[in-house]
Amino acid sequence: MKHDILAMAPIPAAQMAQLEDSYTVHKLWKSKDPEALLNDVKDSITGMVSVYGQPVSARLIKALPNLEIIAHYGVGYDNIDIEAARAQEIIVTNTPDVLTDDTADIAMGLVLGVMRRMVEGDIYVRTGQWAKKGDLPLGRCLRGKTMGIVGLGRIGQAVAKRAEAFGMKVVWHGPRAKKGISWPHYNDLMNMVEITDILMLTCLYSPETHHFIDSAVLKALGHQGVLVNVARGKVVNEDDLVEALENVDIAGAGLDVYENEPDVPSALCRLDNVVLQPHQGSATHETRGAMAQMVVDNLRLYFEKVEVLTAV
Ligand code: 8YV
């Protein structure tokens, strides 16, 4: 029997082909009338491929009475109503590890982008300003600066190693100290921010971290401070961030994630002291392929009644 899978958004073609070989795949994003599609297939769906940006709400979960597994294409699964999934005994899997290095690379790219004015520099050359105005104003050195990391999970630790390789000091904040971690842990976010030059967000999004970074934190980061966010947009109060950047309460920001993706406040786009990326921490052929393969493998193992790779 072929299982029916609801795919909320595309995954790379090679892995989509594997899904289509094994299952009947209903592509929600291709449907002109997603509600009607859901109504037609709701009783037959046993598996789902979910993607960040597509909410898997309690309402959707309840509407799929035979759903058994949600294989999420991504590490952060805050788009899924996990309580509703648990209530229906639905297994949820994600794709950790394979995207750690790429996301840490983008994080460091944003640090370099802001500190060394790399995007401004690119525009300066392309628009002929170099020839007209002379050298770009000076940037700032990474060596000797302190990076304060919020959330020292897999990605946070990978960023920490990179930051050390650039000659930076690393400190971190999280709800609990961790065994085997030598970077100094701060229980109190504000205490850490006061000694931080670059505030790096790599934490989970949860009710506890909603708008964790607000104007008080940004003021404590200070005029020379830089915020980099590769976690989730909603960890930061975006209005407070815009205000802090406009008032130069902080020196700059590097952002890969936003509160309402893909909408980015026009105020952010007008500022020179920010470097913006379109949520592309894991966006390489290699990593997206590896993530999609985990999705396919988790579904296969589940339907073969073998333990899945990465249940959350
Ligand atoms: C997205 C991410 O999942 O893994 C995460 O948590 O935020 C990203 O890797 C990716 O954009 C796929 O939608």
Side-chain angles (χ1 to χ4, degrees):
M1 182 198 89
K2 264 193 162 185
H3 283 276
D4 283 58
I5 302 290
L6 182 67
M8 305 292 287
I11 61 171
Q15 284 76 26
M16 184 56 89
Q18 293 178 46
L19 285 184
E20 286 176 323
D21 277 349
S22 307
Y23 312 107
T24 305
V25 181
H26 303 279
K27 299 178 177 173
L28 197 66
W29 78 97
K30 282 206 164 167
S31 168
K32 289 204 177 82
D33 188 348
E35 283 291 328
L37 169 67
L38 278 175
N39 214 32
D40 285 349
V41 299
K42 65 180 180 357
D43 292 324
S44 59
I45 297 295
T46 49
M48 180 194 287
V49 175
S50 97
V51 177
Y52 181 69
Q54 297 292 329
V56 182
S57 62
R59 180 172 166 266
L60 175 59
I61 290 172
K62 281 195 191 122
L64 303 171
N66 297 311
L67 182 61
E68 293 175 32
I69 175 165
I70 301 173
H72 182 64
Y73 175 58
V75 67
Y77 48 88
D78 46 288
N79 59 312
I80 301 172
D81 190 321
I82 210 80
E83 299 278 300
R86 295 237 155 91
Q88 248 170 266
E89 292 181 9
I90 295 165
I91 301 257
V92 179
T93 62
N94 68 344
T95 64
D97 297 315
V98 291
L99 46 63
T100 299
D101 284 331
D102 276 357
T103 308
D105 290 347
I106 278 286
M108 286 312 294
L110 288 168
V111 173
L112 283 167
V114 177
M115 297 286 281
R116 301 302 307 273
R117 314 183 83 132
M118 291 184 70
V119 175
E120 274 180 272
D122 179 88
I123 294 167
Y124 206 68
V125 174
R126 285 171 197 266
T127 56
Q129 294 180 73
W130 190 19
K132 282 193 210 127
K133 298 188 188 163
D135 290 344
L136 191 71
L138 300 180
R140 288 190 309 134
C141 174
L142 271 60
R143 191 185 56 252
K145 299 288 190 300
T146 298
M147 178 182 281
I149 302 180
V150 179
L152 201 75
R154 300 175 185 87
I155 296 172
Q157 290 179 41
V159 176
K161 286 182 191 149
R162 284 158 175 74
E164 279 193 334
F166 279 91
M168 302 178 71
K169 291 184 211 127
V170 172
V171 294
W172 68 285
H173 166 76
R176 280 167 297 279
K178 292 186 179 195
K179 279 203 185 113
I181 297 287
S182 54
W183 297 299
H185 172 246
Y186 282 71
N187 268 320
D188 185 79
L189 174 68
M190 282 303 210
N191 287 347
M192 180 185 84
V193 169
E194 268 151 25
I195 56 127
T196 289
D197 299 299
I198 293 163
L199 184 61
M200 173 64 67
L201 308 182
T202 56
C203 57
L204 295 176
Y205 175 69
S206 68
E208 289 74 42
T209 58
H210 180 77
H211 284 188
F212 199 44
I213 306 302
D214 58 11
S215 53
V217 176
L218 295 168
K219 284 213 167 81
L221 185 58
H223 300 294
Q224 299 288 318
V226 168
L227 176 77
V228 174
N229 190 3
V230 294
R232 288 287 184 252
K234 289 188 166 79
V235 175
V236 178
N237 181 325
E238 215 161 61
D239 290 339
D240 287 3
L241 175 61
V242 168
E243 201 180 308
L245 287 163
E246 282 174 341
N247 297 342
V248 202
D249 289 337
I250 63 171
L255 305 173
D256 189 40
V257 291
Y258 308 87
E259 279 209 65
N260 297 302
E261 296 172 13
D263 295 332
V264 177
S266 53
L268 274 179
C269 299
R270 283 195 296 271
L271 288 161
D272 286 337
N273 51 349
V274 297
V275 175
L276 305 174
Q277 292 294 307
H279 194 147
Q280 59 145 344
S282 65
T284 63
H285 288 293
E286 296 86 343
T287 291
R288 288 289 168 84
M291 291 162 64
Q293 196 57 51
M294 280 179 101
V295 166
V296 172
D297 293 347
N298 274 319
L299 286 170
R300 179 179 50 76
L301 291 169
Y302 177 79
F303 287 122
E304 284 173 358
K305 304 205 181 311
V306 180
E307 198 179 337
V308 295
L309 297 173
T310 49
V312 303

